[in-house]
Amino acid sequence: MSAPRRALLGLPLLLGACSVLPERPFIETRRHPLAPARTGAPVASGSGRVLLLRTLRAAPGLEARGLRRIRPDGTLDLAFYEEWLAPPAELAEQALREWLIASGLFAAVAAPGTRLATPLILEAELTALDYRLADGEARAGLAVLLLREGAGAAEARVIAQRLVTGTARGAQGGDPGLRQAAAMAEALRAAFLALEAWLTSLLPELRRV
């Protein structure tokens, strides 16, 4: 029997052997919301000014959707099957816009491209959003820059800048992905509270803009 014929006769046996190999189990990706909401009454007397909230930037490494976990040795564990619904900076920007509107600190909160006159401008960058496995604690951070719009062609001038942070303990027990995502959302809420408190402390100056 020729060599090519022997090879063809053996092919069904090889295919049969391949069919019994174990298949890799399918793991569905879960997508989590990131929408901390403000509760409570608006600030009694806001600035009365219109604020332009510019697009929220993401610090390097925070562009990915996967949940960020920090291992006990300090290395990063980026979840492959646990993700945010969208890039976290996009979700944080939408949540921050809704938070500032609900706060009553400003007459309006405008988006880039608005035709409104915006004497106040807020720039922010998402600097941290992770869960520390060793501590069971989530952390969120924002670098914030508050600007006064320039007159005519003049550049905007800095009013103040701040780094705000928030932390939250993860719940005990339950699904790890769900509780870690919930803790990170709560940490971002704590950072928003710190940002609101800082802006409230600046109200006397903002009313003069």
Side-chain angles (χ1 to χ4, degrees), residues 152-173:
E155 293 185 358
R157 294 190 297 167
V158 175
I159 297 175
Q161 60 181 0
R162 185 88 166 193
L163 178 62
V164 296
T165 59
T167 60
R169 299 289 299 177
Q172 297 297 318

Side-chain angles (χ1 to χ4, degrees), residues 31-127:
R31 294 181 171 85
H32 303 275
L34 181 63
R38 186 185 187 278
T39 57
V43 174
S45 179
S47 68
R49 302 291 184 265
V50 176
L51 174 76
L52 169 62
L53 177 61
R54 287 183 172 163
T55 301
L56 191 72
R57 301 184 302 275
L62 285 170
E63 306 92 344
R65 294 190 184 193
L67 302 189
R68 293 168 58 89
R69 286 89 63 96
I70 307 300
R71 301 186 184 97
D73 63 1
T75 57
L76 174 66
D77 173 30
L78 189 64
F80 290 104
Y81 303 107
E82 304 283 353
E83 295 184 345
W84 300 114
L85 287 170
E90 293 182 16
L91 297 176
E93 178 187 337
Q94 180 61 31
L96 179 57
R97 187 179 308 282
E98 294 174 2
W99 185 290
L100 292 173
I101 292 171
S103 74
L105 283 167
F106 306 99
V109 179
T114 182
R115 295 184 179 182
L116 290 174
T118 54
L120 296 171
I121 302 168
L122 188 69
E123 293 185 355
E125 180 181 48
L126 184 65
T127 58

